[in-house]
Amino acid sequence: MAILHLLQQHPNHGGLNPCLHRCGTDDALVLLEDAVYALLDTNDNGQRWQLPTIPIYVLQPHLQARGLQHLQLHDHTIVDMSDLVNLTATYDSSISW
């Protein structure tokens, strides 16, 4: 069963690691709100966050609201709200983190 993981919290807030542990090979991850900082922030060890090798989507209005629209996201797909609605219909279920 493919799950769409919707991560909303800043990666240092504690939601990222449990989310990443639950991601399966058929799943996808959407970075929303402060979770978009996972694209540039580092963890407590000073290393960049290791995001899974599953499809990762980033909500464009949330990137723009945080001044991060300049980031080069070669491995991730920028989506708008309409795309997010379509993604939720594509996956069997979704989990908000």
Side-chain angles (χ1 to χ4, degrees):
M1 181 166 82
I3 299 172
L4 183 65
H5 297 269
L6 305 168
L7 183 62
Q8 301 170 12
Q9 298 177 355
H10 190 285
N12 289 332
H13 194 272
L16 181 61
N17 284 330
C19 173
L20 297 181
H21 286 32
R22 289 283 310 269
C23 287
T25 57
D26 294 332
D27 297 350
L29 174 63
V30 181
L31 300 177
L32 307 163
E33 299 176 12
D34 284 345
V36 300
Y37 289 116
L39 300 170
L40 54 87
D41 278 353
T42 57
N43 61 22
D44 293 335
N45 297 324
Q47 300 171 339
R48 291 189 56 105
W49 291 103
Q50 295 297 311
L51 298 176
T53 56
I54 59 173
I56 297 177
Y57 302 95
V58 184
L59 198 61
Q60 188 275 335
H62 295 186
L63 270 178
Q64 188 172 9
R66 287 152 183 84
L68 301 177
Q69 67 273 10
H70 66 280
L71 293 178
Q72 299 295 321
L73 304 178
H74 302 291
D75 298 331
H76 313 309
T77 304
I78 297 175
V79 296
D80 60 18
M81 291 303 285
S82 176
D83 297 325
L84 179 59
V85 170
N86 290 333
L87 283 170
T88 59
T90 301
Y91 285 84
D92 298 318
S93 64
S94 62
I95 299 175
S96 293
W97 299 89

